[in-house]
Amino acid sequence: MSGEVPDRTGRTRRILRGPRPDAVPALVARACTLVGVLDIAAGVFPRFRRSRMHAMAEVLPGSFGPFAAALSLSAGVLLLLLAHGLRRRKRRAWRAAVVLLPAGAVAQFAYRHSIIGVVISLALLAPLLRHRSEFAALPDPRSRWRALANFVLMGAGSLLLGLVIVSAHQKRMVGDPSLADRITHVLYGLVGFEGPVDYAGSTSWTVAFSLGALGWLTAVTTIYLAFRPEHPAARLTEDDETRLRALLDKHGGRDSLGHFALRRDKAVVFSPSGKAAVTYRVISGVMLASGDPIGDVEAWPGAIERFMDEAKAHSWTPAVMGCSETGGEVWTRETGLDALELGDEAVVDVADFSLSGRAMRNVRQMVKRIERAGYETRVRRIRDLSEGELERIRRAAEAWRGTDTERGFSMALGRIGDPSDGDCLIATAHKADDALGPYGDLKAVLHFVPWGTDGVSLDLMRRDRSADPGMNELLIVAALEASPRLDIKRISLNFAMFRSALARGEKIGAGPVLRAWRGLLVFLSRWFQIESLYKFNAKFRPRWEPRFVVYRSSRDLPRIGIAAMQAEGFVNLALPSLLRRRPPAPRPCAHAVAERGVRAA
């Protein structure tokens, strides 16, 4: 939504609010959750239907007999599945609820002739129909592989719930069947067969219908997910990349993270004038942008408005990771979102860098020791390397990665040696010895992307684990020393998360709260390299540029944090590698195709 607020001059300006769960969708989602839980409880536990809660459960769809138990479980599970979609105002969740509630009302009247049950179902249906315009969000990016995930999760949930159903009728059970017999009975019941467990009276029918309903739901939802139309995640098209490169040619020197917008697993929205753009990726319902908008600062509001409109259309949670102070001011001013300092970017000015002096003694000694060990360095532009050497560097970087998935999103390009990235800088360490490895004398690699015409930003650091310690320090110093001949005046190093808290927390006089916060960060550094990155960057005496996260409300921060860790590769919720489809081969852009054509000619 939008509104008008006065600025410092007294004039009004439009505020673009991010999509917030309105009162009606949130209330409907809570009602669906409550009804779903009560329906499941009514269908599973026989005592529940004879307790004081019977008066409430009695008017809910499906709460008596074998058919009622199956209907109760079906309605409960489906409503629980729909609740999240309704909260996010998804159109398809609304359609499913509109169909499900009348079906429950018909079942109430046909099996029980309950007018009250019909009224309750229609009463919940009434606000859905009245406020149908609230539920207009478009689908999220998805693929048919979610059908397999649904089958596994629903199958496991049905097995556990089936065990509860089988065991809930203990007094009516014939004999004392073992756990293995009960599991076998559940597995048989999910596919419509009779198992080894027997009950007195009509309880066998109740259990059989309930298990059959769970199996039916698992099958139907899996089939639906397998055959529904795909909405693949957006990717950077060739035209989008060409337009972004044109913007970077004019305005790329403003933000050190600008070139990372050319990652090809991002989508982009442009301002109406085409003079600015915001790139993003959607992860778990979070529309995650990184860095500042690309292009003319005067056109940023138009691109931000398009970004917020896209988030509202899909009911995504808008967020920005790693924007600068200027970017944070524009985002918060134009959208009404909040900003929180996330950390600092280490920037080294080449003219001010020197290995002399006491402060640089450790780095100086390490570099001299490695050079005496026989290592040499080379710093070149990507366009100056042969294809054979580039291929060897790619294979080495892949082998030395150390993790199953590629890490990085906000400060990672995701590729090395693309012909369209000829201005990228690469620093390599070499050591000629008798036992050359599969990558020749190559021992370490640093890759930098352009930052305007006179700067570079560190993209990745990879080294042979058998090489001497200090390879990264050696190559950074080599890149800084080679910068004058390459017309580079500034180098952006790693991003240090919560740098200020770490720096202030170790000083004399730090309060107990700050010390406790620093202690927690040091503890988390065992997994996320928070402290080690800060100390590594600090070795080169950089200037620190603050970076911010922009978010809608504090309750969104945990969700944004998880999405950011997924994007950066620290949390992997994807299917196992054996079950995932291989990604398509990297798409060469128009510049690469043209360059290859010239070489062939």
Side-chain angles (χ1 to χ4, degrees):
M1 64 181 178
S2 62
E4 300 289 337
V5 298
D7 60 14
R8 295 179 180 177
T9 64
R11 295 176 297 180
T12 59
R13 56 183 173 83
R14 188 184 180 201
I15 294 294
L16 305 170
R17 298 288 182 180
R20 294 178 181 272
D22 296 329
V24 172
L27 182 61
V28 169
R30 295 191 188 100
C32 284
T33 301
L34 176 62
V35 172
V37 171
L38 292 176
D39 278 356
I40 292 174
V44 171
F45 301 104
R47 292 183 180 179
F48 179 81
R49 293 192 297 273
R50 298 193 295 269
S51 67
R52 293 181 180 179
M53 293 296 292
H54 175 64
M56 181 183 298
E58 192 174 34
V59 298
L60 297 176
S63 59
F64 72 101
F67 287 104
L71 288 173
S72 182
L73 285 172
S74 300
V77 172
L78 289 174
L79 288 174
L80 287 179
L81 293 175
L82 291 174
H84 179 67
L86 291 172
R87 181 180 296 275
R88 295 185 58 203
R89 304 183 295 109
K90 292 297 184 180
R91 169 61 67 177
R92 292 191 174 182
W94 176 87
R95 291 172 179 170
V98 167
V99 172
L100 180 63
L101 288 174
V106 171
Q108 280 278 25
F109 185 78
Y111 287 108
R112 194 177 175 196
H113 308 291
S114 173
I115 301 299
I116 297 179
V118 173
V119 171
I120 292 296
S121 296
L122 296 180
L124 184 56
L125 179 64
L128 283 175
L129 295 176
R130 180 180 178 184
H131 299 281
R132 58 184 178 275
S133 60
E134 299 281 346
F135 302 90
L138 300 174
D140 291 347
R142 66 193 182 212
S143 71
R144 292 190 176 95
W145 283 100
R146 291 195 176 183
L148 179 59
N150 177 82
F151 178 78
V152 173
L153 295 176
M154 285 288 292
S158 297
L159 177 61
L160 294 176
L161 188 54
L163 283 174
V164 175
I165 294 171
V166 169
S167 303
H169 304 273
Q170 191 76 30
K171 294 183 179 180
R172 308 285 293 179
M173 192 177 294
V174 177
D176 186 19
S178 64
L179 178 61
D181 289 336
R182 299 184 188 195
I183 294 176
T184 303
H185 191 84
V186 173
L187 293 175
Y188 275 63
L190 291 176
V191 295
F193 294 98
E194 185 177 353
V197 180
D198 196 12
Y199 299 88
S202 62
T203 304
S204 294
W205 289 100
T206 302
V207 173
F209 274 85
S210 299
L211 295 178
L214 291 175
W216 177 81
L217 285 177
T218 301
V220 168
T221 54
T222 300
I223 292 172
Y224 166 74
L225 292 174
F227 289 97
R228 68 177 179 173
E230 283 192 278
H231 287 266
R235 292 290 184 266
L236 209 63
T237 66
E238 186 174 315
D239 179 64
D240 291 337
E241 185 171 339
T242 301
R243 296 175 66 184
L244 284 174
R245 288 184 183 276
L247 293 177
L248 288 171
D249 288 341
K250 295 181 180 180
H251 308 282
R254 209 209 56 79
D255 184 17
S256 62
L257 306 188
H259 198 84
F260 297 119
L262 297 176
R263 283 182 65 106
R264 290 167 185 161
D265 58 358
K266 290 183 178 181
V268 61
V269 289
F270 289 91
S271 65
S273 64
K275 295 181 179 180
V278 176
T279 58
Y280 67 91
R281 188 195 298 175
V282 179
I283 300 175
S284 301
V286 177
M287 191 176 182
L288 196 64
S290 60
D292 293 344
I294 307 300
D296 188 355
V297 176
E298 296 296 326
W300 282 8
I304 291 174
E305 181 176 359
R306 289 284 179 87
F307 177 89
M308 299 301 290
D309 289 342
E310 190 77 5
K312 182 177 181 180
H314 293 267
S315 192
W316 291 330
T317 300
V320 184
M321 297 295 298
C323 66
S324 68
E325 187 171 1
T326 301
E329 290 176 353
V330 176
W331 273 100
T332 56
R333 185 186 71 228
E334 297 297 327
T335 65
L337 301 179
D338 293 323
L340 178 68
E341 186 173 344
L342 188 61
D344 295 271
E345 175 189 9
V347 178
V348 179
D349 294 314
V350 174
D352 299 334
F353 177 77
S354 174
L355 280 177
S356 61
R358 183 177 181 84
M360 298 298 295
R361 182 179 60 181
N362 291 336
V363 176
R364 182 173 63 251
Q365 291 176 348
M366 179 176 292
V367 169
K368 296 299 182 183
R369 176 178 57 81
I370 296 174
E371 289 177 342
R372 287 195 299 269
Y375 289 90
E376 64 175 21
T377 59
R378 303 169 192 170
V379 181
R380 294 159 289 174
R381 298 283 186 180
I382 286 290
R383 59 173 172 265
D384 297 328
L385 275 71
S386 66
E387 185 60 34
E389 187 173 4
L390 276 175
E391 180 59 27
R392 186 166 64 252
I393 290 172
R394 291 191 198 101
R395 290 190 290 108
E398 177 74 16
W400 298 339
R401 186 169 60 196
T403 58
D404 292 335
T405 57
E406 186 76 43
R407 288 186 174 178
F409 168 68
S410 57
M411 295 185 70
L413 187 60
R415 60 182 183 266
I416 298 178
D418 192 292
S420 61
D421 299 321
D423 288 336
C424 288
L425 191 70
I426 195 159
T428 54
H430 305 262
K431 183 179 182 182
D433 50 31
D434 296 335
L436 294 178
Y439 314 111
D441 61 352
L442 184 64
K443 299 299 180 183
V445 176
L446 260 62
H447 186 254
F448 300 83
V449 300
W451 174 12
T453 58
D454 61 353
V456 291
S457 295
L458 181 61
D459 177 23
L460 62 80
M461 300 185 295
R462 301 281 166 80
R463 69 179 182 87
D464 188 345
R465 300 299 177 183
S466 64
D468 293 341
M471 290 291 103
N472 293 329
E473 289 88 342
L474 172 68
L475 289 180
I476 288 178
V477 170
L480 286 165
E481 291 178 342
S483 292
R485 67 175 175 83
L486 296 171
D487 296 325
I488 295 174
K489 298 179 180 179
R490 50 189 179 170
I491 294 181
S492 170
L493 301 179
N494 291 301
F495 171 75
M497 186 175 291
F498 305 119
R499 195 275 314 176
S500 59
L502 289 170
R504 293 197 303 266
E506 63 184 356
K507 292 183 177 179
I508 297 177
V513 175
L514 188 57
R515 288 185 179 275
W517 175 227
R518 182 183 181 277
L520 177 60
L521 293 176
V522 172
F523 174 76
L524 294 176
S525 296
R526 300 179 182 180
W527 297 278
F528 300 108
Q529 298 181 334
I530 299 174
E531 184 184 31
S532 59
L533 277 178
Y534 158 59
K535 290 186 174 180
F536 177 84
N537 292 334
K539 292 179 181 179
F540 303 97
R541 316 298 293 177
R543 56 181 170 89
W544 299 101
E545 297 290 341
R547 291 280 174 173
F548 299 83
V549 55
V550 178
Y551 60 97
R552 185 176 57 189
S553 65
S554 57
R555 65 175 177 268
D556 291 331
L557 285 175
R559 186 179 178 190
I560 294 171
I562 293 174
M565 287 191 290
Q566 286 181 252
E568 298 290 350
F570 292 105
V571 176
N572 185 15
L573 302 180
L575 293 173
S577 57
L578 293 177
L579 300 177
R580 294 199 302 266
R581 288 181 293 185
R582 292 184 179 180
R587 168 187 55 78
C589 75
H591 302 284
V593 175
E595 183 173 342
R596 290 173 182 170
V598 171
R599 289 180 178 177

